[in-house]
Amino acid sequence: MPYAKPPLKDLRFEKPQEYGAWGNVLNATAYGPNCMQFLGQDIRLLPNLQVSEDCLHLNIIAPNDLNNSSRRPVFIWIHGGGFTNGQGMSVDGSVFAATGDVVLVTINYRLNIFGFVNVGIAHPRNLGLWDQKFAIKWIKQNIADFGGDPNTITLFGESAGGVSVGLQSIIPTNIGLFQRAIAQSGSFFSLRDIGTESEKLTREIGRVLNCSNCQDGDSLCLDCFRRFSAGDLLLGYGKGVKNLRKGFSLKAPIGPIVDQDLIPNDIFSMLNDSTSETSKMFNSIDFIAGSNDGEAGLFYFNLIGHQRAFHFDIKQGIPTRVLCNNIVPYVTKEVLKGCDNISHTICNKYSNDGRSNSLSDETVLAVNFFSDLEMSSLAARCLNFHNNTSKNSYQYLFTHKPTWGVIADRPSWLLGANHVDELPFLFGLRRWYPGNVSITPAEDALSSKIMSYWYNFGKTGDPNPKGTSEWPQYTKTTDHFPINDNLTQNIFHDTLIVSLLVSAVQAVTPIARRQLLTHTTRLGEVTGLKIWKYNTTVYQFKKIPYAKPPLTSLRFERPQPIRSWDETLNGTEYGPNCMQYLFENDKRLIPNLKISEDCLHLNIFAPRDLNKTSKRPVMIWIHGGGFTNGQGMMFDGSKLVALYDVIIVTMNYRLNIFGFINVGAGPGRNIGLWDQRFAIKWVKENIMDYGGNSEMITIFGESAGGISVGLQSVIPKNKGLFQRTIAHSGSLLLIRDIDDTEKLTREIGRIFNCSECLNGVQTCLNCLRNISSESLLQKYAAAEHNLQNGFSMNSTIGPIVDGELIPENPIDMLSNSTSPATQMFNSIDYITGTNDCEAGLFYFNLIGQQASFSFELKKGIPSRIVCHLFAPHVSRHVYKACDKVSEEICKKYSPQDKNHSQSQETYQAMNAYSDLEFASLAVRDLDFHSRSNKGTYQYLFTHKPTWGLIEDRPSWLVGANHADELEFVFGLEDWFPVNIDISPFEVELSSKMMSFWTTFAKTGNPNPENKQEWPAYDKTTKRFIIFGEYRNSTVDGFHDRMRFWNEDVPKLVSECHQKISPRTPNQAINTTLSADCCSVTTLLVFVLISAFQQLTTLATNPVFTHKTRLGEIKGIEVKAYNSTFYQFKKIPYAKPPLGTLRFGKPKPFGSWNDTLNATEYGPNCMQNFYSSNSRLIPNHDRSEDCLHLNIFAPRDVSKNSSRPVMIWIHGGSFTNGQGMKFNGTKLAAVGDVIIVTINYRLNVFGFANAGVGSIRNIGLWDQRFAILWVKNNIEDYGGNPNMITIFGESSGGVSVELQAMSPKNKGLFQRAISQSIYIDGIMDWDSYESLTREIGRLLNCSECITGVNSCLDCLRSVPATNLLKAYSDGYNNINSGYGPTVDGDFIPASPVHMLSNPTSESSQMFNSIDYMAGINDCESAIHYYYSIKGEKNFDLKNGIPTDYLCNFSIPYISRTYFIECEKLSQEICKKYSPTDMSSSLSHETSLAINVHGDFGYASVTTRDLDFHTRSRKGTYQYLFTHKPTWKFLKERPSWSECGANHGDEIAFVFGLETWYPKDVIINQYESKLSSKMMTFWTNFAKTGNPNQEGKHEWPAYNKTSTNFMVLGEYRNSSVYNFHDRMNFWNKDVPRLVLDCKKASQSGNGTNNANIENTFG
């Protein structure tokens, strides 16, 4: 029964709203769904496993009668579950209500993030408590209608429900709503720590879901959360909890808090004031509180994961050592907020006092500690406050260890009553205990007694029977409660005293860790944050504008000064990112994901104080990101400033087309560098207001930021702005090719029709200023893509020589020792360095080259890549030189040892890239700078971190990847994910680097005073420091390799150029090593990284090499299901269908020479992906080179194993799908069979139809070729080539059917299983030809439009991605796709026509095999929903009315699949219309679903089975009816939950573990059903009979009885009249069609184009 409006959409996270009256009769016969939660293990007790936000319901159980005059006492049950899960329906109150003659009400309330989100005071919190309060109020107002007394209401609840009952009992506005309360194992003193755990969790969920507003308590956070589906938000909550779960903790992540509204203040202080409204409310009710003596069963779960860390075995018990050394100190610090002497007192109290030294005694004391701390002491505190009233107070202790416990995983040392063990005794043992558990007479009596106590209390406020006092009232001086355990009784009172002594500390609000601070500067007041971090105060001022917003006319202009501000500037939150694409790998580290042109802000981090006299060194960080993306806010400077007493400034600057557009001579170029310079100047002028020294400024940056700080260091205009520079992994020599940046601008202009841009005219900028920032960003990316052409290491955007900021090429300027640039460079101290494996970037450049150069990048980089790709590219495009340069590079970076390994080739290739792109340029910078008398230093970072920023990292990358040093400079804690442990070595390395960096900022020398650990660089010794491990492969020959690039290569280039033009040697060298030389860059790491995150990683299972007749093959050995399995993936069964083989029948692949790597899945055949499939697909690569199969073999792969073989043909409407989605390991294990999954060509690549004479049905030929390969080769993998079963689902089921009737397949296989075949399997190929013509039109292939065979030749010349796009566009344009068609070859005629003739070759083939087919009972519901979604004038979510079915759906079926005939439509409508005029919409919907299921699936299946019964082979039919726990498709209306939807059976055939998400619990029923189906399927594969020997559970199908097996639940709506409905479609409809056809031939002009395909 709804007590509030569904909290959906805008009502999510709002207080409950009144539901009001309902119009129609309310159906209250079945429980509603659970509130959003992860269902736990106890689902046996749940009548309904659905979860939904629409859950604010209550359930009323009333005995005997519903008379308003009955006035029975009312009990309201509030369930527990840690405020994260639970439901009212888990308690069946029938026994309780009937025995006590009371009315019982159970309620749902919102849970976890939905019920207890906390974004700060500005928005309602404690929503779950508001729900409870609303439900209580509803009951108060309405319960009389159900025979209840609204003036005799008792609240009761357990665990979180007990906490809730306590809290409701002290809320002043509840006065009069109820009269009594029973808090079981829960106290209102268990309130969550406000401002810490729940706020942390909300922020972390915001981070997981990329809701940037959540980071600083912004109420807009909730708007972002509302945009997510309930399921996605729940998953985000789950991930957030997991991410924050680190180390031992007793804190709950979420629950009620002091919200200054419902709970206005600290409870302790409110109750301490006896005159407060809170005290008045509490004193107005009778109150019982109690707990169980073994509540520590919960403690068991807290400790399980910490056995190794605490060095004990929890199954044996809990030693006092663990209690005193680990648990009590945590409780003292985190729970009690106390000091060490409290720890000592507690430990003494709960340590063995000398009675014995057994572990069991120590465990009892530890158990008591937890129970006392978490439950008993808090209950006693509640009672002490309540004891001041005239109302009754009672306490109980439940001590019985039940025969069966709700919490099944119970340690042997837990002697008494576990948490929740009292519930079965309260609500009736038989309702809770499993059927096979006997109830003892003593338990029966105890249950009756407890229920009696509760009834009496609810009726009178006294639990005792009238005239008795066996349960005495509680007083402060003596505790009275029923008890039967002497040990517990002896120590209980004393332990309460200890807990009560320290519990007052719990009520003290923790000291705020973050405060607002308003600071006065010369530009105006600014509000920042004052934070306690790293044992000191840190000030943060964010989003400080250093220039005017570059909007409208200021777009593409140099930054303009911003004056002072009048109002107080809000510097508490980060501003937006500059315009860019944000990438997944970065998002965790970015507090605000907004993008905007108004982004010219900086952020200041200052320690201790803001006094002008402090004069701290200042370090300005310039971020990297390839000049295309990045942001200052990714870098939190708090740790650097706190520990090393410096000021850190981070900044934004304009990026990509907004910051580096180039339309030729004039303004608008290097705008991003002008921004950086303007920010540095702002800091110089204003940093003293924040305690900084304007004469001690260091600029530092990484990657593109390293290039930037280098360039700023040679700009003469910057003289005096800063004193020092640190360039990480970026050289000032890495400027862009001016021609490339102009090309990019012209391409953007072309896209936007800005003709001025094509000619390099400055008015181009005016045109581009009129474009929205979003469109400009989008088309910039498109232009970048358009200009990419094959392998390249060049970037089209970034700094260029502009004649002003960078007047000449930096090399030319620095070669002149008297130039202004050299004077500027020599005026500063300088550090630069690189990482030893910067080649992690090279990995991304090479991914797309694997097919062309025939290598596997995951294995390494062969020398031929250096010699035939890298070296030629560098020679031609970087140096513009001759082949001699390429040859020398190849020679230098190829192993000289003839017996070298693949890893040696890889190391050399890595060095080639890193040396060229980073190290050699850094050394050249240092050589230039070493002429000065300032400090010059070099580093090499070599440590491979536990966690790296760039996560897609190849295994051969052994050292420090690009950007790996950043976390060590800024502090590991702010970068590493919370679940990553930081090693002591890494902590020490990070501290060392931070010290070096900040010491350099202070003195120009990174060494501490009087130490020379880091030697200065000079041109002779070229010394550098190594941060990390010394690695020979990196360091050996380093100087020699630098000489090669900086001396040998320039000479070679000069020689090349001298042969071409009569230049002097110096001219040649200088020109060559000018801009073109330095166009080398692949610093687009943050841009590239996310595009390749989905690459499949190498299997971690052992590799297994196996000999076959075709050659050696390497697979993986998997341990699973108590056995060993062998998996061989990506085995080619045909030649790659590339070039002229596109649209051709498959060709034999033949044998292979080298060992075939079959450890990873190959790519998908060309297709578009769908989000619902993503989780189940191991890799998202796609290629025409996809004709592979995968083999799953159990136990051994010897030829004499001779196991049955099952070949799976995937579905996907012949447009998408892949074999690798289906993991055959579990099915192979259950049935001891071999599973093979295959790919075949799809959509236009597999079913293109260019008319008569062209090859059609290519995808079916691929399938046949794969089956033939298996027939010929499976013996090498332990399979029996004479015992092959093909099986498939949906279009895979159609494929199985077509293969099973193709005469060409005689003898290839023995059995077939078709799952969910459908009527669209073969359609009229006229529509296919229309699609081909449309594709031809889109691709300008005129031959296709006129139907000429050379159409395919034209389509062969089109790149695969372009052809796929044209197919997609064509499909959308004409609303028709591809699929199998009658071609006169593979499918000689209509299948029905061929099977109707028992002597045809097709019939003979079909009758030579055993055949099983079946459908799901709710097969068409989802398809129907999606097909009519958006095309109706009724509310589709409520159901499908018969009017729509008869007026729209059925006529469409008639004309599309049969014949346009009113009589036919009328008869179908009649068959599927309700006979009862008062029929409900749900019944009409059920009939509508049956129409589509019967016509589209079931009738086709039974027709094929009827044809097959003519054979003497096995014929079997099934109906799958089970509605699974986890649904493959998420967006589905409630009426589609009628049973098993399309595809729902697949998980049960392949094993639920391989299909369900990991967080979905597989219940026992589903596990058994899956095992049963797998056994049926594999039995059929072995014998042609799904039954086990000697059993006949599954009857054979025959045309008379038409038997079928129900797999799942028997459901009337599915099974009723099934045979009659099949007869209608397979007998009556054909007769009606013939009648219509005759009528049409008489001149009615009806369309009958599809009759042949439907009926033959």
Side-chain angles (χ1 to χ4, degrees), residues 1230-1264:
V1230 170
D1232 195 33
V1233 297
I1234 289 176
I1235 304 296
V1236 182
T1237 67
I1238 69 172
N1239 285 353
Y1240 55 94
R1241 282 173 283 182
L1242 302 161
N1243 49 69
V1244 66
F1245 296 89
F1247 294 92
N1249 184 351
V1252 177
S1254 66
I1255 301 170
R1256 288 166 282 169
N1257 294 323
I1258 299 299
L1260 297 182
W1261 286 104
D1262 289 345
Q1263 294 170 9
R1264 181 183 182 276

Side-chain angles (χ1 to χ4, degrees), residues 241-261:
V241 171
K242 183 179 177 183
N243 292 349
L244 293 181
R245 190 182 294 134
K246 190 175 183 183
F248 177 75
S249 177
L250 293 176
K251 290 183 179 179
I254 204 158
I257 60 172
V258 175
D259 61 358
Q260 299 178 19
D261 186 5

Side-chain angles (χ1 to χ4, degrees), residues 580-642:
Q580 62 186 279
Y581 286 106
L582 299 174
F583 296 99
E584 289 303 322
N585 199 53
D586 296 355
K587 285 181 179 177
R588 186 184 64 82
L589 295 166
I590 304 174
N592 179 348
L593 298 179
K594 293 177 182 176
I595 58 172
S596 170
E597 286 189 271
D598 181 3
C599 64
L600 299 187
H601 308 126
L602 49 78
N603 314 295
I604 299 174
F605 301 83
R608 294 174 183 77
D609 63 71
L610 301 172
N611 295 338
K612 290 184 180 181
T613 56
S614 297
K615 290 190 174 290
R616 292 186 175 89
V618 180
M619 300 181 72
I620 304 174
W621 175 255
I622 301 180
H623 68 77
F627 298 107
T628 64
N629 67 307
Q631 51 286 117
M633 66 178 141
M634 182 189 274
F635 303 87
D636 187 327
S638 299
K639 188 168 186 180
L640 274 172
V641 306

Side-chain angles (χ1 to χ4, degrees), residues 1023-1139:
R1023 290 176 295 178
F1024 56 86
I1025 192 170
I1026 293 176
F1027 292 122
E1029 301 79 8
Y1030 185 97
R1031 193 172 294 106
N1032 289 341
S1033 60
T1034 303
V1035 180
D1036 286 0
F1038 181 82
H1039 294 315
D1040 175 61
R1041 300 195 317 265
M1042 297 305 99
R1043 275 193 298 274
F1044 173 75
W1045 287 107
N1046 292 333
E1047 296 177 22
D1048 299 348
V1049 169
K1051 287 176 186 174
L1052 287 167
V1053 171
S1054 177
E1055 290 169 8
C1056 288
H1057 285 198
Q1058 278 185 313
K1059 292 176 183 177
I1060 299 168
S1061 60
R1063 295 179 180 173
T1064 66
N1066 285 340
Q1067 284 176 319
I1069 292 172
N1070 284 340
T1071 304
T1072 303
L1073 297 181
S1074 185
D1076 289 334
C1077 163
C1078 301
S1079 66
V1080 188
T1081 186
T1082 44
L1083 295 172
L1084 300 175
V1085 58
F1086 298 114
V1087 176
L1088 290 168
I1089 179 66
S1090 65
F1092 302 102
Q1093 279 183 314
Q1094 299 297 328
L1095 284 175
T1096 307
T1097 54
L1098 284 172
T1100 56
N1101 297 296
V1103 172
F1104 170 79
T1105 301
H1106 178 57
K1107 288 186 177 179
T1108 74
R1109 285 167 292 174
L1110 294 179
E1112 278 197 345
I1113 183 169
K1114 184 163 57 177
I1116 56 175
E1117 182 181 304
V1118 178
K1119 302 288 184 186
Y1121 310 112
N1122 300 315
S1123 187
T1124 301
F1125 297 86
Y1126 299 96
Q1127 297 180 357
F1128 302 92
K1129 304 169 182 175
K1130 196 187 174 183
I1131 300 177
Y1133 66 81
K1135 284 184 178 177
L1138 306 174

Side-chain angles (χ1 to χ4, degrees), residues 307-371:
Q307 297 173 86
R308 181 178 295 178
F310 296 169
H311 306 294
F312 78 111
D313 182 353
I314 197 169
K315 292 284 185 185
Q316 305 300 317
I318 307 172
T320 297
R321 166 183 57 79
V322 171
L323 181 71
C324 289
N325 295 346
N326 303 104
I327 298 163
V328 170
Y330 165 84
V331 168
T332 301
K333 180 182 176 185
E334 298 295 333
V335 179
L336 304 178
K337 313 292 183 190
C339 49
D340 291 341
N341 64 330
I342 293 180
S343 287
H344 183 69
T345 304
I346 296 173
C347 183
N348 282 345
K349 192 68 191 174
Y350 289 91
S351 296
N352 195 299
D353 60 3
R355 284 175 294 173
S356 74
N357 295 314
S358 69
L359 179 59
S360 62
D361 281 345
E362 292 185 5
T363 302
V364 167
L365 289 163
V367 167
N368 284 339
F369 164 75
F370 180 85
S371 298

Side-chain angles (χ1 to χ4, degrees), residues 114-392:
F114 295 89
F116 295 93
V117 68
N118 179 8
V119 293
I121 195 170
H123 197 276
R125 293 174 284 177
N126 291 329
L127 296 172
L129 295 184
W130 282 102
D131 292 343
Q132 296 170 8
K133 179 176 167 53
F134 215 69
I136 297 165
K137 185 180 174 188
W138 188 98
I139 294 163
K140 172 79 172 174
Q141 292 169 346
N142 296 283
I143 201 65
D145 293 339
F146 300 86
D149 184 350
N151 298 314
T152 310
I153 294 177
T154 301
L155 299 190
F156 68 137
E158 184 273 345
S159 193
V163 175
S164 298
V165 165
L167 290 171
Q168 296 295 342
S169 300
I170 60 172
I171 294 172
T173 52
N174 283 345
I175 203 153
L177 283 186
F178 54 93
Q179 287 67 45
R180 297 171 188 104
I182 308 174
Q184 302 170 211
S185 302
S187 162
F188 48 62
F189 284 116
S190 296
L191 212 61
R192 283 359 184 212
D193 189 1
I194 184 168
T196 54
E197 301 310 311
S198 59
E199 275 193 292
K200 271 187 205 169
L201 178 58
T202 302
R203 287 196 296 271
E204 179 59 17
I205 296 168
R207 189 193 65 73
V208 168
L209 297 175
N210 296 324
C211 292
S212 57
N213 305 96
C214 300
Q215 299 309 310
D216 293 306
D218 190 333
S219 61
L220 289 175
C221 167
L222 299 186
D223 293 335
C224 184
F225 282 173
R226 287 188 183 100
R227 292 199 292 270
F228 287 89
S229 70
D232 287 344
L233 182 57
L234 184 65
L235 286 174
Y237 158 76
K239 287 179 182 176
V241 171
K242 183 179 177 183
N243 292 349
L244 293 181
R245 190 182 294 134
K246 190 175 183 183
F248 177 75
S249 177
L250 293 176
K251 290 183 179 179
I254 204 158
I257 60 172
V258 175
D259 61 358
Q260 299 178 19
D261 186 5
L262 202 60
I263 305 170
N265 208 337
D266 163 58
I267 293 172
F268 187 84
S269 59
M270 291 192 296
L271 290 177
N272 246 347
D273 178 2
S274 60
T275 64
S276 70
E277 296 300 316
T278 300
S279 289
K280 289 177 184 175
M281 171 61 204
F282 196 35
N283 293 341
S284 72
I285 61 170
D286 300 305
F287 189 67
I288 290 178
S291 57
N292 300 352
D293 67 337
E295 302 277 9
L298 292 180
F299 199 24
Y300 172 70
F301 296 104
N302 284 84
L303 287 173
I304 283 177
H306 302 284
Q307 297 173 86
R308 181 178 295 178
F310 296 169
H311 306 294
F312 78 111
D313 182 353
I314 197 169
K315 292 284 185 185
Q316 305 300 317
I318 307 172
T320 297
R321 166 183 57 79
V322 171
L323 181 71
C324 289
N325 295 346
N326 303 104
I327 298 163
V328 170
Y330 165 84
V331 168
T332 301
K333 180 182 176 185
E334 298 295 333
V335 179
L336 304 178
K337 313 292 183 190
C339 49
D340 291 341
N341 64 330
I342 293 180
S343 287
H344 183 69
T345 304
I346 296 173
C347 183
N348 282 345
K349 192 68 191 174
Y350 289 91
S351 296
N352 195 299
D353 60 3
R355 284 175 294 173
S356 74
N357 295 314
S358 69
L359 179 59
S360 62
D361 281 345
E362 292 185 5
T363 302
V364 167
L365 289 163
V367 167
N368 284 339
F369 164 75
F370 180 85
S371 298
D372 294 350
L373 170 76
E374 289 284 285
M375 305 289 176
S376 304
S377 67
L378 302 181
R381 288 184 69 208
C382 296
L383 289 161
N384 283 343
F385 279 116
H386 191 265
N387 198 231
N388 299 325
T389 176
S390 59
K391 291 291 184 178
N392 296 333

Side-chain angles (χ1 to χ4, degrees), residues 522-524 545-548 560-566 678 682:
R522 285 167 296 165
L523 293 179
Y546 66 81
K548 286 182 179 178
Q560 303 295 310
I562 191 165
R563 304 302 174 195
S564 57
W565 47 83
D566 297 325
F678 215 68
W682 188 99

